[in-house]
Amino acid sequence: MAHRIITLSGDGIGPEIMAPTLELLRGIGEFEFEEHSFGGAAIDAYGTALTDETLAACREADAVLLAAVGGPRWDTTDPNAPRPEQGLLGLRKGLELYANLRPVRPLPALYEASPLRRERIEGTDLLVVRELTGGIYFGEKIRTETMASDVCAYTVTEIERIARTAFKAARSKVTSVDKANVLETSRLWRQVVMEVHGREFPNIELEHLLVDNAAMQLVSAPRHFDTILTENMFGDILSDEAAMITGSIGMLPSASLGDGSVPGLFEPVHGSAPDIAGQGLANPLAMFLSAALMLRHGLDLADEASAVESAVESALAGGLRTPDLGGKAGTAEATQAVLEHL
Ligand code: NAD
Ligand code: IPM
Ligand code: MN
């Protein structure tokens, strides 16, 4: 039976990287794709970034593949206006996709494309495990004429389940990143992570790093890390930073998973790149690699996932470089190069 996939192309470069991804997937298996309007596009069409119908369709699918949302057209400081990003947050929360996995593995072909020196980054193979449905993103928001506030809250249950995800994913070490010297949520985070570790994963090494220090060590000694476990906003910021170890934000894929009863959501870490949208210049590789994560983690198609990853690697080894990696290849040329190696 064909795998049923909801595709959410979204805004900006979203449609430009989704189309070649579907072409790639059609080349390796039987899939039924159903596109839904999402993000800014859905605000224009329906007045909301995520319709009930789209959320229901996602819940029934085998997997959800998303490109990117947002753009200057919908940027506003008005608290009452709809925003494209609300669609993404609503989808993550609606499916309770609490575990966001962002693997950072620089490919040898791209060692010279990173702004970091080769000897610093080579051999880096780390995983950011970002909590995705709690923290300051989802706490109460207040806005008056003279003040504004965003509440950051975590429950023990929320911390326990994401900690388990990280300990299970780790090869030998988990680095839990927090701001326990200042934040109460971080002190609870640290305590619960230690409890889960002692109780369930005593054979995995556990260390704690304050987030400012972690940001520094990510670029000074990225090989130090195996699995980084952190809360929602720290994970957002640290993963964009970590992307540069791979050469570009256009290389980093992600998987968002729930408790197993819901389909996973697969999307690149980057956004809708409005500055290059409509020019055919977007790097589609993070999107291709997100499709590979969908094949592996969402559809149990490990061989097909490896085939996509190998094709990306071979194309880069063969010299493929989009502008974000210092080259001249456009999205179409990059797609062709990967298809040739598939
Ligand atoms: P961005 O990731 O869209 O772009 C940052 C920089 O990286 C830009 O210079 C852009 O051109 C470049 N870039 C990003 N992806 C690229 C690719 N595939 N190929 C080549 N270059 C690429 O971040 P931003 O500019 O801060 O945000 C733009 C919009 O995207 C905002 O509305 C933001 O909310 C949204 N956003 C959405 C998602 C998502 O849908 N998952 C993620 C991040 C940001
Ligand atoms: C990401 C994005 C989103 C986030 C935005 C668009 C809401 O930056 O997926 O990293 O902050 O989680
Ligand atoms: Mn982000």
Side-chain angles (χ1 to χ4, degrees):
M1 258 225 325
H3 302 278
R4 289 182 44 254
I5 298 168
I6 299 294
T7 64
L8 306 170
S9 296
D11 311 311
I13 61 168
E16 299 171 44
I17 57 174
M18 181 64 88
T21 306
L22 301 192
E23 192 183 335
L24 187 86
L25 287 169
R26 285 196 182 96
I28 58 171
E30 240 192 277
F31 303 98
E32 218 176 84
F33 299 115
E34 185 179 303
E35 168 73 15
H36 282 248
S37 186
F38 187 64
I43 292 177
D44 290 350
Y46 306 106
T48 172
L50 171 65
T51 65
D52 294 344
E53 191 216 338
T54 297
L55 179 58
C58 289
R59 194 171 274 128
E60 295 307 314
D62 293 324
V64 183
L65 193 58
L66 186 150
V69 296
R73 180 174 157 71
W74 306 278
D75 273 341
T76 168
T77 54
D78 175 356
N80 299 312
R83 287 201 63 110
E85 295 82 358
Q86 289 164 343
L88 189 52
L89 301 179
L91 183 57
R92 291 170 177 171
K93 192 73 174 176
L95 297 181
E96 202 63 26
L97 301 167
Y98 63 87
N100 183 221
L101 312 181
R102 299 182 160 185
V104 181
R105 213 174 295 125
L107 298 171
L110 291 182
Y111 282 160
E112 310 301 331
S114 171
L116 299 169
R117 283 204 303 277
R118 178 195 181 104
E119 61 267 29
R120 292 228 180 221
I121 60 176
E122 62 187 346
T124 299
D125 182 357
L126 66 87
L127 176 70
V128 178
V129 176
R130 171 190 178 194
E131 200 289 327
L132 202 60
T133 50
I136 198 168
Y137 276 59
F138 292 95
E140 187 192 13
K141 296 183 185 304
I142 296 174
R143 171 87 169 267
T144 72
E145 284 288 311
T146 53
M147 63 76 69
S149 75
D150 299 272
V151 170
C152 182
Y154 269 108
T155 66
V156 169
T157 309
E158 285 173 325
I159 302 168
E160 281 176 342
R161 65 183 181 179
I162 192 69
R164 285 191 189 104
T165 302
F167 285 119
K168 283 182 194 156
R171 288 182 303 264
S172 62
K173 181 173 72 175
V174 167
T175 304
S176 177
V177 172
D178 62 36
K179 189 75 184 173
N181 52 346
V182 177
L183 301 178
E184 208 50 57
T185 41
S186 282
R187 288 188 275 267
L188 179 68
W189 181 277
R190 197 174 275 218
Q191 182 189 317
V192 173
V193 169
M194 285 192 291
E195 284 165 5
V196 170
H197 173 248
R199 228 173 25 230
E200 302 173 36
F201 304 94
N203 297 329
I204 300 284
E205 187 189 338
L206 170 65
E207 69 172 358
H208 306 275
L209 273 191
L210 297 173
V211 63
D212 44 355
N213 183 12
M216 183 276 286
Q217 290 202 37
L218 251 184
V219 291
S220 67
R223 271 189 304 270
H224 170 86
F225 298 98
D226 165 349
T227 297
I228 295 174
L229 162 63
T230 194
E231 63 93 56
N232 204 343
M233 188 154 78
F234 296 160
D236 178 43
I237 298 167
L238 291 179
S239 52
D240 267 39
E241 186 192 6
M244 292 317 293
I245 299 168
T246 69
S248 165
I249 183 85
M251 291 302 302
L252 217 62
S254 90
S256 305
L257 307 173
D259 69 0
S261 70
V262 284
L265 166 67
F266 302 86
E267 54 166 322
V269 168
H270 65 71
S272 59
D275 52 336
I276 58 163
Q279 301 174 41
L281 295 176
N283 180 350
L285 298 183
M287 186 79 218
F288 292 172
L289 295 171
S290 300
L293 291 182
M294 175 184 81
L295 293 168
R296 181 174 295 116
H297 297 291
L299 304 175
D300 229 1
L301 297 172
D303 291 345
E304 287 82 349
S306 299
V308 171
E309 288 162 351
S310 304
V312 167
E313 201 167 340
S314 304
L316 290 165
L320 166 66
R321 296 289 183 278
T322 43
D324 54 309
L325 293 168
K328 293 210 158 47
T331 312
E333 203 181 316
T335 303
Q336 207 43 51
V338 174
L339 285 176
E340 272 161 25
H341 286 93
L342 196 62

